[in-house]
């Protein structure tokens, strides 16, 4: 069975390998509905242990608002290839260059969206070169390293990966309780077998490198605030990876639009997809219409 059969693309979308100057990346790409004026394209990056399927429930409502959405597996994530043991391939600068190549292949300029780890990778790309982007939305992605409790979970994962196979780690995680966003399979779309196969698609070196980065990421908000882009900070009403008050403060420092989705946790795109899609499209509309999207 092809690994592509693990998840069916949402209605109106297709899954394929996007060819870029830095290799091929697995994407789910949804075009705008017939009869709807196209207002733009969004490039969407998933979080740690996540995948492009985490945005499945956003494609249809955003297409209805006129936005093409291209969700991508990063290097070494799920269906995108990458080295299994060479952690240097996943240094932040390398992953940032991947994002710039993805934007060029999709057709820049694009609206950039990054969830959790994806937000920090996207930030690195924006700081490297902001010209391919129309706006930047950080979804449940904070200013620096993750919380102490989540750092402990990542340490447990990194220790386990040093002595266990991916399949053995999966079994151990399930034995400890339901999958979580950090330290185990990300909360996402799909049943337990689909999530297991997604987990097994990740390259260990990618998890080791990006897990370390999550625990050591410096605060680069001042540098980001100097970039001439409209910013949006979106999160659920609670979050234990980066506390909500920390995200509130980051939005102020960025002079960003701030959206809190009631009833959502660390993955508002999964917990409350319709309000999340509406907030994204409203923000993008405001930038296209020349409305200053800052408070």
């Amino acid at each position: 069975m092809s690994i592509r059969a693990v998840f069916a693309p949402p209605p109106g979308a297709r899954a394929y390998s996007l060819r870029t100057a830095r290799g091929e990346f697995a994407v789910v790409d949804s075009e705008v509905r017939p009869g709807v004026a196209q207002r733009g394209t969004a490039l969407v990056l998933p979080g740690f242990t996540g995948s492009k399927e985490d945005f499945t429930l956003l494609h249809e409502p955003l297409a209805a608002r006129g936005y093409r959405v291209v969700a991508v597996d990063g290097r070494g994530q799920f269906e995108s290839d990458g080295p299994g043991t060479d952690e240097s391939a996943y240094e932040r600068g390398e992953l940032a260059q991947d994002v710039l190549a993805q934007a060029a292949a999709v057709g820049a300029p694009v609206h950039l969206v990054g969830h959790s780890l994806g937000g920090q990778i996207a930030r690195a790309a924006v700081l490297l070169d902001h010209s391919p982007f129309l706006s930047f939305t950080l979804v449940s992605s904070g200013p620096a390293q993750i919380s102490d409790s989540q750092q402990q979970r990542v340490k447990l994962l990194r220790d386990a990966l040093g002595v266990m196979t991916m399949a053995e780690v999966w079994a151990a995680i399930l034995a400890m309780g339901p999958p979580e966003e950090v330290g185990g399979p990300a909360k996402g779309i799909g049943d337990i077998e689909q999530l297991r196969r997604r987990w097994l698609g990740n390259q260990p070196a990618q998890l080791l490198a990006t897990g370390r980065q999550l625990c050591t990421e410096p605060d680069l908000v001042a540098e980001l605030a100097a970039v001439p882009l409209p910013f949006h900070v979106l999160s659920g009403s609670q979050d234990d990876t980066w506390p909500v008050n920390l995200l509130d403060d980051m939005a102020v420092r960025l002079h960003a639009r701030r959206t809190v989705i009631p009833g959502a946790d660390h993955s508002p795109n999964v917990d409350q997809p319709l309000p999340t899609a509406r907030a994204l499209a409203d923000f993008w509309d405001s930038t296209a219409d020349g409305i200053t999207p800052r408070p």
Side-chain angles (χ1 to χ4, degrees):
M1 177 182 292
S2 168
I3 197 169
R4 283 279 183 228
V6 176
F7 294 93
R14 63 189 182 101
Y16 64 93
S17 292
L18 177 72
R19 294 184 177 182
T20 80
R22 289 179 61 84
E24 295 189 0
F25 296 89
V27 301
V28 172
D29 184 345
S30 57
E31 297 289 347
V32 174
R33 291 180 179 178
V36 177
Q38 181 155 339
R39 294 185 63 85
T41 297
L43 178 66
V44 188
L45 313 181
F48 184 60
T49 75
S51 71
K52 60 193 178 302
E53 286 73 24
D54 294 337
F55 309 104
T56 293
L57 300 179
L58 298 184
H59 285 273
E60 283 193 278
L62 289 174
R65 290 285 297 268
Y67 290 97
R68 174 191 176 199
V69 175
V70 182
V72 59
D73 287 339
R75 182 176 304 277
Q77 270 188 326
F78 188 29
E79 294 182 318
S80 289
D81 197 16
T85 58
D86 180 10
E87 293 185 41
S88 68
Y90 305 102
E91 292 177 357
R92 184 70 86 233
E94 293 295 319
L95 298 180
Q97 290 280 6
D98 287 348
V99 175
L100 296 176
Q102 292 157 8
V106 165
V110 299
H111 295 285
L112 183 62
V113 179
H115 173 237
S116 194
L117 169 71
Q120 296 197 333
I121 294 171
R123 180 174 73 176
V126 169
L127 291 175
L128 196 60
D129 181 6
H130 70 271
S131 64
F133 309 114
L134 295 167
S135 71
F136 178 27
T137 298
L138 294 125
V139 178
S140 303
S141 185
Q145 74 275 7
I146 54 178
S147 66
D148 290 344
S149 64
Q150 294 291 10
Q151 288 189 43
Q152 289 302 310
R153 294 181 64 85
V154 171
K155 183 180 184 301
L156 287 173
L157 173 60
R158 297 186 77 246
D159 289 346
L161 286 172
V163 296
M164 301 166 71
T165 66
M166 289 291 287
E168 289 170 339
V169 173
W170 169 264
I173 288 169
L174 290 189
M176 291 188 294
E180 298 282 350
E181 164 65 20
V182 176
K187 182 177 182 179
I189 306 298
D191 60 29
I192 198 69
E193 176 59 20
Q194 289 172 314
L195 295 178
R196 183 189 74 86
R197 292 185 64 181
R198 178 176 74 168
W199 169 259
L200 295 177
N202 286 294
Q203 294 294 341
Q206 181 265 128
L207 294 174
L208 289 167
T210 57
R212 183 177 60 253
Q213 291 160 15
L214 282 169
C215 296
T216 59
E217 183 78 1
D219 188 323
L220 299 175
V221 174
E223 290 85 344
L224 185 62
V227 175
L229 282 180
F231 299 118
H232 184 196
V233 176
L234 185 151
S235 74
S237 54
Q238 57 183 6
D239 195 315
D240 63 356
T241 302
W242 287 279
V244 171
N245 65 331
L246 199 64
L247 300 176
D248 292 340
D249 177 70
M250 182 178 72
V252 172
R253 295 170 64 195
L254 288 174
H255 306 286
R257 174 175 285 196
R258 178 73 172 108
T259 300
V260 177
I261 305 295
D265 205 318
H266 187 62
S267 298
N269 42 296
V270 174
D271 296 333
Q272 296 288 343
L274 292 181
T276 299
R278 182 166 56 249
L280 289 170
D282 286 349
F283 170 64
W284 298 335
D285 284 353
S286 72
T287 66
D289 293 339
I291 301 171
T292 302
R294 300 185 173 190

